[in-house]
Amino acid sequence: MGKFLTVMTHLHTLAGPSVMLLYPLYASVVAIESTSKLDDEQWLAYWILYSFLTLMEMVLQPMLQWIPIWYDLKLAMVAWLVLPQFRGAAFIYEKFVREKLISKYGARYFRDKSSPPPAAAAKVSLKPNEDRID
């Protein structure tokens, strides 16, 4: 029984960095290289939420150390954010973060980013060997 608990402890220790960092890093690189915008939104939202969670965890550390299952709760929450079946990060961003930003700054900051503004379109349309005149 002692060896089983030792193995489980090591697996538990490896699960955190794997779920919270390794897989999201890999998926972020894949998202950058893909043409889909959906995966970009998922992973940008994940990194925003993970950064916020990490900052809050640092601030609330004196209280969190008294909650013995905090690490397990955090691992479960981050797994929900990460797993593509749930798309939790995109859901949280769309339902809460984006709503707050729109109510504070207005919808004009969130217009469709797939088409560049007219001034940027003129710069993009230049051929690679043409010189720009500013």
Side-chain angles (χ1 to χ4, degrees), residues 12 20 53 67-79:
H12 186 266
M20 293 182 220
L53 176 65
I67 303 173
I69 60 168
W70 166 247
Y71 187 77
D72 299 320
L73 292 173
K74 178 183 172 185
L75 186 58
M77 184 174 66
V78 170

Side-chain angles (χ1 to χ4, degrees), residues 89-108:
F91 174 79
I92 295 289
Y93 182 81
E94 285 292 322
K95 295 295 179 191
F96 299 104
V97 177
R98 190 168 193 270
E99 293 295 325
K100 295 291 182 193
L101 290 174
I102 286 175
S103 67
K104 183 170 182 165
Y105 298 109
R108 63 188 167 107

